[in-house]
Amino acid sequence: LLPRAERFLVVATDRISAFDVVLPRGIPYKGQVLNQIAAKFLDATADIVPNWKIATPDPTVTFGHRCDPYPVEMIVRAYLTGSSWRTYKAGAREICGIRLPDGMKEHQKFPVPIITPTTKAEQGMHDEDISREKIIEKGLVPEDEYTLIEKYTMEVFLRGSEIAASHGLILVDTKYEFGRKEGQIYLIDEINTPDSSRYFYADGYQERFDKGLPQKQL
């Protein structure tokens, strides 16, 4: 057997999937747009944490480090929306071990962003919410490494939020993935793209929230 390559090429396509189904028609330039957005954000956060990107030799291609991924995804939420709102509306007041106060409304901003990790499911399965304590208890990630990943997660999210705000957008929630290579933690996969993140338009957010209206999303 040939040794595993330490670097590899990823080609982003225009295909799109929804609920584990790859739709028959792609979206023109989708792969190019997502790949270039991810590249911009990876470059803009490289001072916070090393990442897998080495180069983007083509708008649809990224060349980078092959890392061993951690089996969890780091979900960051700045607002109570999406699945967190559905869980809250159903009566739950704890998400991934984090207590939430009564009386919150859909799309309400948290005092500070929260991290709600999920398991990284095998093919054909679905990710499941998991607490920090369970991740460490189950040995999915060593405690010292998880603490560092949490730090990186929040710092990358806050940087992404600042960049989004400069473009009139609110980075509502997103997910980050991390891996290891030669003892070093790397940020991997795409980051802060519309495929992995939720964005609201900042203009009109407060008025819509006050009136209980749906937010305008990117």
Side-chain angles (χ1 to χ4, degrees):
L1 294 176
L2 293 173
R4 190 185 76 163
E6 294 301 315
R7 299 175 180 179
F8 68 137
L9 281 173
V10 173
V11 180
T13 74
D14 294 340
R15 292 184 301 172
I16 185 169
S17 64
F19 302 102
D20 302 328
V21 176
V22 178
L23 303 182
R25 297 177 61 184
I27 296 177
Y29 300 105
K30 172 180 181 285
Q32 175 178 324
V33 169
L34 295 182
N35 190 59
Q36 291 182 297
I37 290 173
K40 287 285 188 180
F41 275 111
L42 288 169
D43 289 344
T45 56
D47 62 315
I48 296 173
V49 54
N51 64 63
W52 73 283
K53 174 184 173 288
I54 296 173
T56 47
D58 180 89
T60 62
V61 174
T62 297
F63 175 62
H65 298 281
R66 183 186 294 275
C67 303
D68 295 316
Y70 290 99
V72 295
E73 294 186 358
M74 304 298 283
I75 314 296
V76 195
R77 304 177 187 277
Y79 293 75
L80 182 63
T81 192
S83 62
S84 63
W85 166 248
R86 291 191 293 273
T87 299
Y88 186 91
K89 188 178 180 182
R93 291 297 179 267
E94 184 175 298
I95 302 176
C96 299
I98 298 173
R99 294 290 304 175
L100 301 179
D102 290 326
M104 292 192 71
K105 300 177 181 179
E106 186 176 15
H107 308 314
Q108 184 171 341
K109 186 177 182 179
F110 293 120
V112 295
I114 62 173
I115 297 176
T116 58
T118 66
T119 57
K120 190 169 174 57
E122 298 295 330
Q123 186 174 358
M125 301 174 64
H126 293 279
D127 299 344
E128 295 182 357
D129 289 346
I130 188 170
S131 67
R132 179 187 198 277
E133 291 72 22
K134 285 293 183 183
I135 289 171
I136 295 168
E137 179 185 316
K138 291 184 175 183
L140 298 178
V141 184
E143 184 172 6
D144 59 336
E145 294 177 32
Y146 187 80
T147 299
L148 191 53
I149 288 172
E150 277 189 322
K151 176 178 179 291
Y152 288 151
T153 294
M154 195 59 70
E155 290 181 6
V156 170
F157 181 78
L158 293 176
R159 178 73 56 81
S161 298
E162 292 172 0
I163 294 171
S166 72
H167 293 279
L169 297 170
I170 297 171
L171 180 55
V172 178
D173 51 45
T174 191
K175 66 97 178 173
Y176 300 121
E177 298 187 47
F178 294 86
R180 293 178 80 253
K181 180 180 179 180
E182 298 175 352
Q184 174 72 59
I185 295 175
Y186 284 78
L187 177 61
I188 63 175
D189 201 40
E190 61 177 338
I191 69 165
N192 295 347
T193 72
D195 253 21
S196 62
S197 316
R198 190 192 321 265
Y199 287 93
F200 291 159
Y201 286 89
D203 185 29
Y205 161 78
Q206 191 61 49
E207 181 181 358
R208 289 173 179 272
F209 176 75
D210 291 342
K211 293 180 178 179
L213 298 173
Q215 290 296 324
K216 185 180 178 183
Q217 299 193 36
L218 178 67

